Amino acid sequence: MEDIKLHDKTFEVYIPETEIAEIVQHLAKQINIASISRPLFIAVLNGSFLFAADVMRKITIPNSEISFIKLASYQGTKSTGSVNELIGLSQDLENRNIIILEDIIDTGNTLEKIIELFQNKKIASFKTATLLYKPKAYKKDIPIDFIGKSIPNDFVVGYGLDYDEIGRNLPHIYKLKN
Ligand code: 5GP
Ligand code: MG
């Protein structure tokens, strides 16, 4: 598979779409067997839009719901450290079993901010599912319940993930070529 160019940088295929499908299937299976009743999945936009769409089609838990929040933490290829809530949630979260759907967890700053948003909401339980996880970059103690694939500290794009807003439509996941 060919390298691609986005803005000023070249990327090579890292996780082909066939492997992404297997990772998503496996992750959904883990969630399905965790016996979480009437879960409210909350996908973190924009990055998780394809992952959320694909994983939800594999969820077999009765009365599953999905909603979306939007946050921002990246400018270019480096995390800015601060995270701002852009679009909040409208539904009542009281007594709900929440499962966060993230595209990628890097430092954990975003996850920490999301958890803050759920404090004082009287939720029943909180779990996190992420397609990709960078264990070497992770700085928090918050447990991550469902992990698709752990990856090194490479910058990746495609399948929802962007480089300055482009590349989200790519079916494969690419990494920055050195
Ligand atoms: P964290 O707050 O954990 O440092 O970063 C989480 C967010 O940063 C992710 O939701 C994602 O939007 C962005 N991010 C982290 N690593 C990468 C990466 O390798 N590629 C892209 N495109 N975004 C990333
Ligand atoms: Mg994101």
Side-chain angles (χ1 to χ4, degrees), residues 73-74 102-104 106-110 134 154-156 162:
S73 79
Y74 256 60
E102 263 282 27
D103 49 356
I104 186 162
D106 187 66
T107 62
N109 288 332
T110 308
K134 295 183 184 172
D154 293 314
F155 183 75
V156 294
D162 72 306

Side-chain angles (χ1 to χ4, degrees), residues 89-108:
L89 277 168
S90 50
Q91 58 265 80
D92 187 6
L93 301 176
E94 195 168 332
N95 292 321
R96 298 308 308 265
N97 293 311
I98 308 290
I99 305 175
I100 292 293
L101 297 178
E102 263 282 27
D103 49 356
I104 186 162
I105 296 176
D106 187 66
T107 62

